[in-house]
Amino acid sequence: MNLVLLGPPGAGKGTQAEVITQKRGLVQLSTGDMLREAVKAGTVIGEEASAIMKSGGLVPDEIVIKIVAERLSASDCANGFILDGFPRTLNQAAALDNLLQAQGKQLDAVAEIKVDDAVLIDRISGRYMCADCGASFHDTNHKPKVPGVCDRCGSTELIRRKDDNAETVRNRLMAYYRETSPLIGYYFAKDKLRSVDGMAPISEVSSQIEAVLANS
Ligand code: AMP
């Protein structure tokens, strides 16, 4: 099962990808996570991406396409994957089609997670994550069971992303509407697009995505 999660920053793509990958044994491919790792490791890609990510812009297509191409050819993707944060431009979507075609694979569905802008801003400014395993949390909507301790791995290193601030969020939303929202039409035309209500509680959104997968 190969799925793309499409939606603006804060829609819950990462949270939903976590839930569904655990349930179904799929691999979560988050280009945001891959780029943050490259920044942390100080690689050439990381150096190029760092300032762009801080400003809320999009990293150039050729960089992210290269990262995804490498990752998709790894053996753990054979049983299926969830792409979270890729593609984000029409160029990236076309490149993904080519990559999958070359591997004899295809997308089963694209789940568009729809959320109102005001809610997105609130979600992003309250969210934080585990520095060790990447599990995500929120100040009010999704607190860890034990305060300050990651539910998934028990780490106490819970951190906020550098780009989760009001100023950068505006740029990230603009980048979404300008560059990424055309993908809604792109996948609709291919009859791959399925919309889910991202305003619903986390478990309800997961059920809606499960229903999309079951019908694909
Ligand atoms: P995310 O974790 O998905 O919110 O991504 C964080 C940041 O990484 C974005 O604001 C972009 O700067 C960059 N990024 C992640 N994925 C992509 C992509 N597919 N294309 C371009 N830039 C990306």
Side-chain angles (χ1 to χ4, degrees), residues 9 13 30-33 35-36 52-53 56-59 64 84-88 92 127 161 163 172:
K13 301 186 295 295
S30 156
T31 41
D33 285 350
L35 289 166
R36 278 184 288 279
I52 300 170
M53 291 171 75
L58 292 186
V59 173
V64 272
D84 143 25
F86 182 93
R88 261 177 156 100
Q92 293 179 17
R127 78 180 176 185
R161 274 170 50 170
D163 59 351
R172 288 163 67 198

Side-chain angles (χ1 to χ4, degrees), residues 47-105:
E47 272 172 27
E48 197 168 332
S50 175
I52 300 170
M53 291 171 75
K54 259 187 211 144
S55 72
L58 292 186
V59 173
D61 285 341
E62 51 289 8
I63 293 182
V64 272
I65 290 168
K66 190 162 172 266
I67 298 178
V68 171
E70 276 169 20
R71 191 62 190 84
L72 273 180
S73 59
S75 57
D76 62 348
C77 292
N79 291 334
F81 55 80
I82 298 185
L83 279 164
D84 143 25
F86 182 93
R88 261 177 156 100
T89 65
L90 287 168
N91 255 339
Q92 293 179 17
L96 177 62
D97 286 345
N98 293 335
L99 284 170
L100 293 177
Q101 199 183 11
Q103 295 185 8
K105 295 179 186 165

